[in-house]
Amino acid sequence: YKYSNNFISFIKKSPIDTTILKIKLQEYYKNHYEHIDIHKINIEPRSYITSLPNEFTVDIKSKNYLKKDGILSIKTRDQKRIFFNYKIKAHVNIYLSRKKIKKKEELSVINSMKKSIILDNFKAKPIQDIKNSSLEAKHHISKDKILTIRDVQALSLVRKGSSVNINFFRDNINISFTAEALDDGKLGQIIRVQKTNGKKLKVKVTGKNKAEII
């Protein structure tokens, strides 16, 4: 209940224990961030209640992890919903571009750095880890930008025009030769290559400038 005038405001808080909701919220954020240090969680019902139901399920919106605050709800056995406002204070690890990164440039410690920042509001999920030969820029990225899943894609292990080592296995016979890649290719993708005699083949990318005949 709330009463206000020009001078003072009174708020009656619900006498409930929100520990179980805090635990669920903590689990939710930890499932979305590999490295998150949660300092404080505050949860308040949006309307006055005297107690939580004995049985209920917790519902948190799919993209709430991008924000430091939001709304969660609980659903009782009789399908009644009770809504809560929450705020979370935490630090998360992100990757920041050290310099301008060109489109299709591989992400590494040379052009990006890990940093711990206060969780605020993100437009997209920040990249949690940069492993060697795993990610490349999807478009040009400016300096000092937080890298998100919108900015990256799986690294192309084969580039169009590059020389590719091709392996062919059959009946305990292993044949290897080189060919020119006619397409870019990520791990497991099927691309076309051209042999020195002009013959074109379809192969599956197995590694950095490596493929096998399918």
Side-chain angles (χ1 to χ4, degrees):
Y1 296 100
K2 185 175 180 180
Y3 167 78
S4 63
N5 55 31
N6 293 334
F7 305 100
I8 194 167
S9 176
F10 298 95
I11 299 174
K12 184 177 181 180
K13 291 190 175 182
S14 299
I16 59 172
D17 183 1
T18 58
T19 300
I20 189 170
L21 300 182
K22 290 179 181 179
I23 292 173
K24 291 292 183 181
L25 196 63
Q26 182 172 290
E27 292 174 350
Y28 167 80
Y29 274 87
K30 286 188 174 182
N31 284 337
H32 286 87
Y33 295 98
E34 292 182 14
H35 307 284
I36 182 170
D37 185 11
I38 299 175
H39 309 296
K40 185 179 180 181
I41 297 176
N42 184 54
I43 300 177
E44 296 288 347
R46 303 192 76 182
S47 58
Y48 183 79
I49 57 175
T50 57
S51 63
L52 291 176
N54 293 327
E55 295 183 25
F56 59 85
T57 57
V58 179
D59 181 32
I60 306 172
K61 293 182 179 180
S62 60
K63 292 187 178 181
N64 273 22
Y65 67 90
L66 298 176
K67 301 178 181 180
K68 63 181 179 181
D69 51 27
I71 299 172
L72 64 83
S73 65
I74 63 174
K75 186 168 66 173
T76 63
R77 293 186 64 182
D78 57 0
Q79 304 303 307
K80 180 182 178 182
R81 282 191 177 275
I82 304 173
F83 293 88
F84 298 79
N85 293 325
Y86 75 82
K87 290 184 179 180
I88 180 169
K89 184 178 180 182
H91 275 78
V92 294
N93 284 350
I94 55 93
Y95 280 87
L96 204 67
S97 54
R98 293 179 183 269
K99 61 183 184 67
K100 183 177 180 180
I101 302 175
K102 296 180 180 180
K103 182 179 180 179
K104 292 189 176 182
E105 182 179 342
E106 181 179 351
L107 298 185
S108 67
V109 294
I110 297 174
N111 54 28
S112 61
M113 61 179 175
K114 183 187 290 187
K115 188 176 182 180
S116 177
I117 65 171
I118 295 175
L119 174 65
D120 196 357
N121 295 323
F122 299 121
K123 292 182 179 179
K125 184 177 180 179
I127 297 302
Q128 296 296 286
D129 196 13
I130 294 179
K131 300 176 181 177
N132 292 331
S133 301
S134 63
L135 297 172
E136 66 181 20
K138 191 182 293 185
H139 49 76
H140 293 306
I141 301 172
S142 58
K143 182 182 177 182
D144 296 327
K145 184 181 184 301
I146 295 176
L147 303 176
T148 72
I149 57 175
R150 293 181 182 176
D151 301 313
V152 301
Q153 59 188 4
L155 180 69
S156 293
L157 297 177
V158 174
R159 299 290 185 184
K160 182 179 179 179
S162 63
S163 180
V164 184
N165 295 317
I166 310 296
N167 285 313
F168 176 64
F169 301 96
R170 179 173 292 177
D171 298 330
N172 295 324
I173 298 175
N174 182 10
I175 300 175
S176 300
F177 59 91
T178 60
E180 180 185 350
L182 301 178
D183 309 294
D184 289 345
K186 299 174 174 57
L187 184 65
Q189 281 190 333
I190 306 301
I191 64 170
R192 298 169 302 143
V193 297
Q194 182 171 305
K195 298 174 65 176
T196 53
N197 62 6
K199 185 177 180 180
K200 296 179 181 179
L201 302 170
K202 287 186 177 181
V203 297
K204 182 171 72 173
V205 178
T206 58
K208 183 69 173 177
N209 292 326
K210 295 181 180 179
E212 62 182 27
I213 295 178
I214 56 175

